[in-house]
Amino acid sequence: LPAIGTNTVTVPPTSRSAVLLDAIAPQDASPVVHVVASGGRLAAVLDDAWIEGATGRGADDAVSLTEPALRVVLPLGLAGATRLRVAVPGGTDAQVTTTLLTPSGRKSPPSNGVATVTHGTSADLDLTAVTEPVFAVELSSTAPIVAGALVQRYAQVPAGGSSADAQSDLAWVPALSPVGALAGAVLAPPTVPTDQVATLYLAAPDGARSVSVTTASATGPATVTVDIPAGAVATMDVSRATDAWVSGGGPSVFAAV
């Protein structure tokens, strides 16, 4: 990350420090941050907040969950709303191939799905032309990469208005590790807000898989079996659940809510 001035920060024990990324790298339109600590262990998170004029356009915390790899999987994508950010931290340029995992199987994106990313740089790959309502993304690369997906949604545009008049929000989806023997998440209470929708995405890029999904709710726990076709994504409504757990996925199933 080319920076202006110093990008070294001292974090005292049992405390935190904040750095304004726009101040140290204002020229970077697609920043990817690599944090290295010496002297002690720390956790890092990037808070991304968008403002258009006086209108807030959403905010989310971007985190890193996987090491650089030749294949990364992002289990969640939405039609007309998804952009990928890919970075090559090593010393070799990467040819990156994008494959969509849809409910009906593997598909190529509307573009050719192949991009070259220079080593030591990052690039944004636009998937907003994808019309599949839901999908997962598999990135295959000739050199190790890290990646995340930015999903932006707009509310219904008022009559006679434009997208600038509509409320919007955003979320960062990191590349994830496989489910393994068991993986789960605690979800927001279904009463806050009352109209919230929560969907579990399950992707199986390497072949058909069946997993057990256990949810807890006000009516008690429930377990169902979900079949995921080969090279596809399956979804399950977990809007009324307080937590969700996936078991039996092994190294070839990826999940996100």
Side-chain angles (χ1 to χ4, degrees):
L1 174 66
I4 295 176
T6 179
N7 55 1
T8 299
V9 178
T10 300
V11 184
T14 66
S15 64
R16 67 175 186 173
S17 296
V19 177
L20 186 62
L21 190 60
D22 290 346
I24 63 173
Q27 75 281 7
D28 287 302
S30 305
V32 175
V33 181
H34 182 204
V35 178
V36 178
S38 61
R41 301 182 65 181
L42 60 77
V45 63
L46 177 64
D47 179 66
D48 189 19
W50 291 35
I51 299 177
E52 184 178 20
T55 303
R57 287 303 182 192
D60 195 20
D61 291 335
V63 299
S64 176
L65 296 181
T66 59
E67 295 292 328
L70 298 179
R71 183 182 80 163
V72 298
V73 176
L74 301 102
L76 191 160
L78 299 175
T82 305
R83 293 177 175 85
L84 305 180
R85 182 161 299 173
V86 180
V88 184
T92 304
D93 295 354
Q95 186 177 65
V96 182
T97 301
T98 303
T99 302
L100 307 181
L101 309 177
T102 75
S104 58
R106 289 176 171 270
K107 294 184 179 180
S108 297
S111 61
N112 62 15
V114 179
T116 299
V117 183
T118 305
H119 67 276
T121 71
S122 62
D124 285 353
L125 309 179
D126 192 348
L127 296 182
T128 56
V130 175
T131 58
E132 293 287 338
V134 297
F135 57 91
V137 178
E138 178 189 54
L139 297 175
S140 301
S141 175
T142 57
I145 58 173
V146 293
L150 175 63
V151 180
Q152 294 175 283
R153 298 298 301 271
Y154 284 84
Q156 184 174 357
V157 177
S162 66
S163 61
D165 304 312
Q167 292 183 332
S168 64
D169 202 357
L170 62 86
W172 278 101
V173 181
L176 297 176
S177 300
V179 166
L182 178 68
V186 176
L187 308 178
T191 56
V192 186
T194 57
D195 60 348
Q196 80 167 7
V197 176
T199 303
L200 173 65
Y201 289 73
L202 297 163
D206 297 326
R209 295 289 187 273
S210 293
V211 298
S212 294
V213 178
T214 300
T215 57
S217 66
T219 59
T223 300
V224 299
T225 298
V226 179
D227 297 323
I228 314 168
V233 64
T235 60
M236 175 180 170
D237 183 18
V238 291
S239 300
R240 310 312 299 171
T242 56
D243 56 77
W245 297 87
V246 180
S247 60
S252 299
V253 173
F254 300 79
V257 177

